Amino acid sequence: ATEDKEGRPPFNFKEYMLEKANSVNAALESSVLLRPPLKIHEAMRYSLLAGGKRVRPVLCIAACELVGGQESMAMPSACAVEMIHTMSLIHDDLPCMDNDDLRRGKPTNHKVFGEDVAVLAGDALLAYAFEHIAVETKGVSSTRIVRAIFELAKSIGAEGLVAGQVVDISSEGIAGVGLEQLEFIHLHKTAALLEASVVLGAIMGGGSNEEVEKLRSFARCIGLLFQVVDDILDLTQSSQELGKTAGKDLVADKVTYPKLMGIEKSRELASKLNKDAREQLFGFDIAKAAPLIALADYIANRQN
Amino acid sequence: ATAAPTRSPKPRPFDLKTYWATLIAEINQKLDEAIPVQYPERIYEAMRYSVLAEGAKRAPPVMCVTACELFGGDRLAAFPTACALEMVHSASLIHDDLPCMDDDPSRRGQPSNHTVYGVDMAILAGDALFPLGFRHIVSQTPSDLVPEPCLLRVIAEIARSVGSTGMAAGQFLDLEGGPNSVDFVQEKKFGEMAECSAVCGGLLGGAEDEEIRRLRRYGRAVGVLYQVVEDILEEQTKSGMSDEEKNKKKGKSYVRLYGIEKAMEVAEELKDKAKKELNAFEKYGDRVAPLYSFVDYAAERGFTFGGSS
């Protein structure tokens, strides 16, 4: 294997992801225990522990370690962002929203537990995310924990995640949706929570304001990147390859990057966003930044 | 109705109505400011529709402020949390009313949120109000009045109360449970919010742990008492209710399950229990009066502001 100039082996992304995803999964497993009333906790665990790539929690931990923090400082936040992500998927899949039957290769939450339980399980995960950060974060000052809670709350509310969903819903089937509006949807619907994942990690790890803001810019780039790639995959991959219903953007008559600019230009945009993301990491220790660089590449090159 | 604690007669009757009306006006104004309309407007309108509904009694925020003041806390320390309690309470109610849940077409005397804005918007309005509550607490609480560890305890308390072992558990058993679940449902759906409100106020006012435990028991008793009395009043005016409506209420009403006499006994017990907890706060003098009058209000409904919760 080639080594870098300081004699270190090259960064092994697969190994890194596997190791981090394992510790995240273990932490998630013990975060939501089976207790009465059983069915609602089963429903929470069903979706929370359904696998998934754990991109958000790993981003959170990687950002924490990049600014010099320990994994344990970021772990409650890492679990919390995954809880929020899961909650938004559960509610998004409901019949009154996207009406999806399949998620992460399994029947959706409401298909298994019913719509009522799916709504409640989502609400419970949302609340629990905040409780988990407030109660379980150790070795971090209260000031930083409070700041992290502010960032998370801002990113998932009506100025963040929910804003993206609202504009997304209201622009379905409407002609004349432009790039600007599409970018608004994705910056809110997808990028906001990725941003929160990275920002929470940086805050908990003790990052300076300047470091937190650089990582915020990085996260916004990979957030948009994530969605551009998602749009391309929805068009080019099968349901089986994706683990969720393919081509649903077309069926729902949703505006996408390939539809607005063609598939080639969409791929060019993806490369540009990845390059922009990487530039935000200049100035950080290059070895410590390797996981975030590799995560951006992974988001750019993933097949599902 | 004036509170009548067993010992130490009050020097002057506490005017709950004025106290409450003044506080409600302040809370309404703060809630109005807390949710400015911006793009995309429709979601903010949906959130405001439920949070600012006319006729809301604001029991959770008032109890929070009252409990804070009991321990000499500044009410400015409690207002952001008081508003947050109303936001998360509204979020729970919006989701409870959904067609896949209680399927209620109206709330607080007006059409329910999904009836006006659609089911998708109602789900998202709830999803946005929960985090707005937490954000409001951390961004609006004056840092010179409340230390950060205290804010974290408040946030944990609220999150637990609305979560899978709190109000969500109550709603779940309300939907799925048999008639024997009524006690649990009442505790969780109606006792939890009052308990949480009292405890948060106590935390913000700097109460001792033992005092927090008392507030917990007091709040829970008042919340359940309010609902048991609601059930009794509903039973007495049930003539206007269709058979279908009566059946729907069956699983969650004390009166339906235990009969009206037993329900009145339970109400009496809860009233005593709540007041007993307050005895230990007599040392705070007049400041405990609003908490007594809460109990009497829950028991007797001495006045109304129109509409129901």
Side-chain angles (χ1 to χ4, degrees):
Chain A
T2 50
E3 295 182 347
D4 70 7
K5 49 183 182 267
E6 284 164 50
R8 279 176 299 225
F11 178 68
N12 187 331
F13 179 63
K14 250 191 179 162
E15 208 170 272
Y16 177 85
M17 280 303 275
L18 202 65
E19 185 205 315
K20 292 298 182 197
N22 277 342
S23 34
V24 167
N25 283 334
L28 286 172
E29 163 70 41
S30 55
S31 69
V32 181
L33 299 172
L34 258 189
R35 49 184 167 169
L38 282 185
K39 193 169 170 189
I40 189 167
H41 290 96
E42 275 167 15
M44 291 164 78
R45 288 170 58 90
Y46 175 81
S47 294
L48 187 63
L49 306 177
K53 295 174 287 280
R54 310 303 188 203
V55 169
R56 290 157 193 81
V58 177
L59 278 170
C60 182
I61 293 168
C64 173
E65 291 181 332
L66 174 58
V67 298
Q70 308 287 318
E71 177 183 295
S72 61
M73 295 170 172
M75 191 56 92
S77 296
C79 291
V81 293
E82 191 68 10
M83 288 174 200
I84 300 281
H85 176 56
T86 305
M87 161 266 157
S88 80
L89 297 180
I90 294 174
H91 284 186
D92 233 11
D93 288 338
L94 287 169
C96 65
M97 307 275 263
D98 282 356
N99 194 18
D100 253 309
D101 296 346
L102 200 61
R103 170 69 71 181
R104 288 172 173 171
K106 292 166 71 177
T108 44
N109 198 289
H110 65 272
K111 282 276 156 195
V112 180
F113 297 96
E115 276 180 62
D116 51 355
V117 175
V119 172
L120 287 173
D123 289 355
L125 281 170
L126 199 172
Y128 194 59
F130 287 91
E131 185 182 350
H132 197 64
I133 293 181
V135 174
E136 299 299 330
T137 305
K138 308 285 184 237
V140 179
S141 72
S142 300
T143 307
R144 285 187 180 269
I145 302 174
V146 164
R147 197 171 145 206
I149 286 173
F150 173 78
E151 289 284 348
L152 182 63
K154 188 174 175 208
S155 75
I156 67 176
E159 279 178 43
L161 184 58
V162 169
Q165 285 169 310
V166 169
V167 177
D168 191 18
I169 288 171
S170 54
S171 53
E172 254 174 59
I174 290 177
V177 175
L179 257 187
E180 209 177 309
Q181 196 165 354
L182 185 65
E183 193 172 290
F184 180 94
I185 293 172
H186 297 321
L187 273 178
H188 292 79
K189 205 178 156 172
T190 310
L193 189 56
L194 287 167
E195 179 183 322
S197 306
V198 170
V199 167
L200 260 63
I203 291 173
M204 295 305 197
S208 67
N209 287 344
E210 195 196 337
E211 287 173 323
V212 169
E213 291 317 309
K214 276 180 121 176
L215 286 169
R216 188 191 298 281
S217 306
F218 164 82
R220 289 170 79 85
C221 291
I222 62 165
L224 272 186
L225 172 64
F226 195 96
Q227 200 56 48
V228 176
V229 172
D230 222 43
D231 283 359
I232 296 171
L233 290 175
D234 185 74
L235 209 61
T236 56
Q237 302 286 88
S238 71
S239 296
Q240 203 183 359
E241 283 165 315
L242 288 178
K244 61 181 178 185
T245 316
K248 74 176 187 194
D249 293 344
L250 271 182
V251 175
D253 202 16
K254 275 191 181 176
V255 63
T256 64
Y257 284 98
K259 227 185 271 181
L260 277 182
M261 53 173 58
I263 204 139
E264 268 322 300
K265 281 261 187 273
S266 300
R267 288 195 168 118
E268 279 169 30
L269 176 62
S271 318
K272 181 182 179 296
L273 286 168
N274 192 3
K275 189 169 148 281
D276 291 349
R278 195 177 292 222
E279 277 170 13
Q280 303 304 318
L281 299 177
F282 290 169
F284 285 102
D285 180 316
I286 192 78
K288 277 189 177 170
L292 285 180
I293 292 170
L295 267 158
D297 285 340
Y298 164 74
I299 288 170
N301 301 323
R302 73 207 159 95
Q303 297 304 312
N304 61 34
Chain B
T2 307
T6 44
R7 285 165 297 145
S8 64
K10 295 267 163 301
R12 57 193 144 84
F14 181 78
D15 182 358
L16 177 66
K17 191 168 178 174
T18 307
Y19 178 83
W20 212 334
T22 313
L23 256 184
I24 286 178
E26 269 188 89
I27 286 159
N28 283 342
Q29 194 203 334
K30 288 184 190 305
L31 283 170
D32 184 34
E33 290 162 6
I35 317 175
V37 177
Q38 57 191 54
Y39 180 79
E41 289 82 5
R42 200 164 165 75
I43 187 70
Y44 291 94
E45 284 159 10
M47 291 157 75
R48 290 175 63 86
Y49 177 79
S50 290
V51 173
L52 302 174
E54 295 266 339
K57 287 188 289 293
R58 310 296 184 210
V62 173
M63 190 176 276
C64 173
V65 174
T66 299
C68 174
E69 288 187 323
L70 173 64
F71 303 99
D74 188 328
R75 63 169 60 179
L76 292 178
F79 272 133
T81 298
C83 290
L85 287 164
E86 195 65 24
M87 291 172 190
V88 299
H89 190 214
S90 291
S92 292
L93 297 179
I94 293 170
H95 284 184
D96 283 359
D97 288 340
L98 288 170
C100 67
M101 303 269 240
D102 293 344
D103 193 16
D104 248 318
S106 67
R107 165 73 66 182
R108 287 172 168 164
Q110 62 177 21
S112 48
N113 198 290
H114 65 269
T115 311
V116 180
Y117 294 93
V119 174
D120 49 0
M121 227 26 91
I123 289 185
L124 291 173
D127 289 355
L129 280 170
F130 284 117
L132 182 62
F134 296 122
R135 177 181 169 181
H136 196 69
I137 294 172
V138 296
S139 63
Q140 301 297 315
T141 306
S143 56
D144 53 331
L145 295 180
V146 185
E148 278 145 346
C150 176
L151 284 187
L152 293 177
R153 282 184 75 183
V154 166
I155 284 161
E157 182 70 26
I158 296 176
R160 191 195 50 73
S161 292
V162 298
S164 59
T165 56
M167 286 163 71
Q171 174 65 8
F172 167 74
L173 278 161
D174 195 1
L175 293 163
E176 313 245 333
N180 288 332
S181 64
V182 70
D183 296 86
F184 185 85
V185 171
Q186 298 263 359
E187 290 256 316
K188 291 296 177 181
K189 253 185 109 164
F190 308 107
E192 197 79 28
M193 199 68 217
E195 171 183 331
C196 173
S197 307
V199 167
C200 286
L203 289 170
L204 293 161
E208 311 273 332
D209 286 353
E210 178 52 33
E211 293 174 319
I212 293 291
R213 283 191 285 275
R214 278 190 189 283
L215 283 175
R216 202 174 278 294
R217 294 189 293 263
Y218 159 83
R220 178 158 294 221
V222 173
V224 178
L225 170 64
Y226 184 90
Q227 192 54 35
V228 172
V229 172
E230 191 80 0
D231 288 348
I232 294 170
L233 294 175
E234 218 162 58
E235 184 68 17
Q236 287 165 347
T237 57
K238 69 179 172 184
S239 46
M241 219 187 266
S242 70
D243 284 347
E244 193 190 349
E245 276 172 314
K246 278 187 222 166
N247 268 336
K248 233 170 77 180
K249 304 248 177 212
K250 201 168 185 173
K252 42 184 131 158
S253 166
Y254 259 94
V255 179
R256 299 271 152 173
L257 186 66
Y258 296 123
I260 199 148
E261 252 175 55
K262 169 76 177 159
M264 285 172 124
E265 257 172 54
V266 168
E268 205 54 40
E269 279 165 24
L270 287 165
K271 193 175 155 182
D272 290 346
K273 195 175 165 191
K275 288 196 173 179
K276 205 181 106 218
E277 298 297 346
L278 294 182
N279 283 340
F281 296 135
E282 285 296 325
K283 62 179 172 183
Y284 293 113
D286 267 1
R287 293 201 300 260
V288 76
L291 290 170
Y292 274 111
S293 53
F294 254 111
V295 185
D296 291 317
Y297 172 65
E300 289 151 31
R301 307 290 199 273
F303 59 90
T304 64
F305 284 98
S308 60
S309 99

